[in-house]
Short mmCIF file of all heavy atoms in Angstrom, two decimals:
data_model
loop_
_atom_site.label_atom_id
_atom_site.label_comp_id
_atom_site.label_asym_id
_atom_site.label_seq_id
_atom_site.Cartn_x
_atom_site.Cartn_y
_atom_site.Cartn_z
N TRP A 20 3.76 1.72 -1.15
CA TRP A 20 4.45 1.69 -2.41
C TRP A 20 3.42 2.30 -3.53
O TRP A 20 3.79 3.19 -4.32
CB TRP A 20 4.97 0.26 -2.89
CG TRP A 20 5.44 0.32 -4.09
CD1 TRP A 20 5.06 -0.68 -5.19
CD2 TRP A 20 6.63 0.87 -4.68
NE1 TRP A 20 5.90 -0.45 -6.31
CE2 TRP A 20 6.79 0.56 -6.05
CE3 TRP A 20 7.47 1.89 -4.19
CZ2 TRP A 20 7.85 1.07 -6.87
CZ3 TRP A 20 8.45 2.40 -4.98
CH2 TRP A 20 8.62 1.97 -6.26
N HIS A 36 -3.59 25.15 -4.87
CA HIS A 36 -4.61 25.99 -4.46
C HIS A 36 -4.24 27.48 -4.82
O HIS A 36 -4.98 28.35 -4.98
CB HIS A 36 -4.64 26.05 -2.93
CG HIS A 36 -5.17 24.70 -2.40
ND1 HIS A 36 -6.19 24.06 -3.05
CD2 HIS A 36 -4.69 23.83 -1.38
CE1 HIS A 36 -6.49 22.85 -2.37
NE2 HIS A 36 -5.58 22.79 -1.49
N SER A 40 5.27 31.11 -6.10
CA SER A 40 5.88 32.48 -6.30
C SER A 40 6.34 32.72 -7.64
O SER A 40 7.21 31.90 -8.16
CB SER A 40 7.05 32.55 -5.28
OG SER A 40 6.55 32.70 -4.05
N ILE A 51 1.81 43.58 1.70
CA ILE A 51 1.42 43.06 2.94
C ILE A 51 2.63 42.22 3.52
O ILE A 51 3.00 41.31 2.82
CB ILE A 51 0.16 42.21 2.97
CG1 ILE A 51 -1.02 43.07 2.42
CG2 ILE A 51 -0.17 41.50 4.30
CD1 ILE A 51 -2.31 42.34 2.23
N GLY A 70 -11.87 45.72 -4.75
CA GLY A 70 -11.34 45.61 -6.17
C GLY A 70 -9.84 45.97 -6.39
O GLY A 70 -9.37 46.46 -7.39
N SER A 72 -6.20 44.61 -6.45
CA SER A 72 -5.54 43.21 -6.42
C SER A 72 -4.11 43.36 -6.74
O SER A 72 -3.36 42.36 -6.90
CB SER A 72 -6.29 42.32 -7.33
OG SER A 72 -6.40 42.91 -8.59
N LEU A 117 -17.54 30.92 6.46
CA LEU A 117 -16.37 31.02 5.83
C LEU A 117 -16.19 29.96 4.71
O LEU A 117 -15.64 30.30 3.64
CB LEU A 117 -15.25 31.10 6.86
CG LEU A 117 -13.85 31.66 6.43
CD1 LEU A 117 -14.02 33.05 5.83
CD2 LEU A 117 -12.90 31.67 7.45
N ASP A 122 -15.15 28.86 -0.61
CA ASP A 122 -15.40 27.53 -1.20
C ASP A 122 -14.23 26.52 -0.83
O ASP A 122 -13.65 25.99 -1.67
CB ASP A 122 -15.40 27.76 -2.85
CG ASP A 122 -15.67 26.51 -3.61
OD1 ASP A 122 -16.45 25.63 -2.94
OD2 ASP A 122 -15.47 26.51 -4.66
N TYR A 127 -15.13 24.29 10.42
CA TYR A 127 -15.64 25.08 11.47
C TYR A 127 -16.68 24.25 12.27
O TYR A 127 -17.70 23.76 11.60
CB TYR A 127 -16.22 26.39 11.01
CG TYR A 127 -16.80 27.32 12.02
CD1 TYR A 127 -16.02 28.09 12.93
CD2 TYR A 127 -18.20 27.31 12.17
CE1 TYR A 127 -16.54 28.81 13.84
CE2 TYR A 127 -18.80 28.11 13.17
CZ TYR A 127 -17.98 28.95 13.95
OH TYR A 127 -18.62 29.68 14.92
N ASP A 139 -14.26 31.88 44.25
CA ASP A 139 -15.17 32.98 44.19
C ASP A 139 -14.84 34.02 43.29
O ASP A 139 -15.76 34.56 42.55
CB ASP A 139 -15.31 33.48 45.54
CG ASP A 139 -15.97 32.45 46.61
OD1 ASP A 139 -16.50 31.51 46.19
OD2 ASP A 139 -15.88 32.68 47.78
N GLU A 150 -23.03 38.64 31.94
CA GLU A 150 -23.97 39.83 31.94
C GLU A 150 -23.64 40.71 30.73
O GLU A 150 -24.53 40.98 29.98
CB GLU A 150 -23.86 40.66 33.18
CG GLU A 150 -24.46 40.06 34.55
CD GLU A 150 -25.94 39.70 34.24
OE1 GLU A 150 -26.68 40.58 33.78
OE2 GLU A 150 -26.45 38.76 34.81
N ASN A 152 -21.94 39.89 28.04
CA ASN A 152 -22.26 39.12 26.79
C ASN A 152 -23.69 39.19 26.51
O ASN A 152 -24.14 39.53 25.36
CB ASN A 152 -21.89 37.58 27.00
CG ASN A 152 -20.35 37.35 26.94
OD1 ASN A 152 -19.92 36.33 26.71
ND2 ASN A 152 -19.53 38.44 27.09
N VAL A 161 -24.01 31.62 33.22
CA VAL A 161 -23.29 30.97 34.23
C VAL A 161 -23.97 29.61 34.49
O VAL A 161 -25.14 29.54 34.57
CB VAL A 161 -23.18 31.90 35.58
CG1 VAL A 161 -22.67 31.01 36.67
CG2 VAL A 161 -22.32 33.07 35.30
N CYS A 171 -20.67 18.01 30.06
CA CYS A 171 -19.31 17.26 29.82
C CYS A 171 -19.21 16.19 30.96
O CYS A 171 -18.50 16.53 31.88
CB CYS A 171 -18.22 18.29 29.86
SG CYS A 171 -16.52 17.56 29.64
N ILE A 195 -14.21 25.51 17.05
CA ILE A 195 -12.80 25.27 16.57
C ILE A 195 -12.90 25.21 15.09
O ILE A 195 -13.99 24.94 14.48
CB ILE A 195 -12.09 23.98 17.20
CG1 ILE A 195 -13.02 22.70 16.97
CG2 ILE A 195 -11.82 24.21 18.62
CD1 ILE A 195 -12.34 21.43 17.38
N LEU A 225 12.57 49.20 5.40
CA LEU A 225 11.48 49.96 4.76
C LEU A 225 12.08 51.27 4.13
O LEU A 225 12.99 51.79 4.68
CB LEU A 225 10.49 50.29 5.75
CG LEU A 225 9.76 49.01 6.27
CD1 LEU A 225 9.26 49.32 7.76
CD2 LEU A 225 8.71 48.54 5.30
N ARG A 239 14.73 39.51 -1.74
CA ARG A 239 14.73 39.19 -3.21
C ARG A 239 14.70 40.57 -3.96
O ARG A 239 14.30 40.59 -5.08
CB ARG A 239 13.50 38.38 -3.60
CG ARG A 239 13.59 36.92 -3.02
CD ARG A 239 12.27 36.22 -3.14
NE ARG A 239 11.83 36.15 -4.67
CZ ARG A 239 10.61 36.02 -5.05
NH1 ARG A 239 9.61 35.98 -4.13
NH2 ARG A 239 10.23 36.00 -6.37
N ALA A 250 1.66 42.66 9.21
CA ALA A 250 0.85 41.68 9.98
C ALA A 250 1.79 40.57 10.28
O ALA A 250 1.69 39.50 9.74
CB ALA A 250 -0.36 41.19 9.08
N PRO A 283 -13.87 10.00 19.30
CA PRO A 283 -14.49 11.21 19.91
C PRO A 283 -15.05 11.02 21.29
O PRO A 283 -15.93 10.11 21.39
CB PRO A 283 -15.48 11.70 18.84
CG PRO A 283 -15.19 10.94 17.57
CD PRO A 283 -14.56 9.71 18.10
N GLU A 370 3.02 57.60 7.61
CA GLU A 370 1.97 57.78 6.77
C GLU A 370 2.00 56.54 5.69
O GLU A 370 3.02 56.19 5.24
CB GLU A 370 2.12 58.98 5.85
CG GLU A 370 0.84 59.72 5.67
CD GLU A 370 1.05 61.09 4.82
OE1 GLU A 370 1.97 61.84 5.30
OE2 GLU A 370 0.49 61.16 3.76
N ALA A 376 -1.38 44.07 14.75
CA ALA A 376 -0.52 43.42 15.75
C ALA A 376 -1.20 43.15 17.16
O ALA A 376 -2.37 43.45 17.23
CB ALA A 376 0.74 44.38 15.76
N GLU A 412 -2.70 54.60 19.49
CA GLU A 412 -2.80 55.73 20.30
C GLU A 412 -3.37 55.63 21.66
O GLU A 412 -3.19 56.44 22.50
CB GLU A 412 -3.50 57.02 19.54
CG GLU A 412 -2.61 57.66 18.45
CD GLU A 412 -1.38 58.39 18.97
OE1 GLU A 412 -1.56 59.16 20.00
OE2 GLU A 412 -0.34 57.99 18.57
N TYR A 415 -1.42 56.01 24.76
CA TYR A 415 -0.97 57.26 25.08
C TYR A 415 -2.12 58.16 25.67
O TYR A 415 -1.92 59.12 26.39
CB TYR A 415 -0.22 57.93 23.81
CG TYR A 415 0.85 57.11 23.38
CD1 TYR A 415 0.65 56.33 22.28
CD2 TYR A 415 2.17 57.22 24.00
CE1 TYR A 415 1.67 55.42 21.90
CE2 TYR A 415 3.13 56.22 23.61
CZ TYR A 415 2.90 55.41 22.52
OH TYR A 415 3.82 54.66 22.09
N GLY A 424 -8.97 39.40 31.85
CA GLY A 424 -9.89 38.51 32.53
C GLY A 424 -10.58 37.52 31.58
O GLY A 424 -11.25 36.46 31.88
N ASN A 430 -2.79 34.48 32.30
CA ASN A 430 -1.55 34.84 31.69
C ASN A 430 -0.72 35.71 32.79
O ASN A 430 -1.33 36.35 33.64
CB ASN A 430 -1.76 35.79 30.43
CG ASN A 430 -2.11 35.00 29.25
OD1 ASN A 430 -1.27 34.39 28.69
ND2 ASN A 430 -3.32 34.93 28.85
#
Side-chain angles (χ1 to χ4, degrees):
W20 174 240
H36 296 316
S40 282
I51 297 178
S72 56
L117 198 57
D122 190 22
Y127 175 79
D139 290 344
E150 288 300 324
N152 282 199
V161 172
C171 186
I195 52 174
L225 295 158
R239 293 172 58 207
E370 222 177 305
E412 283 294 309
Y415 304 97
N430 281 287

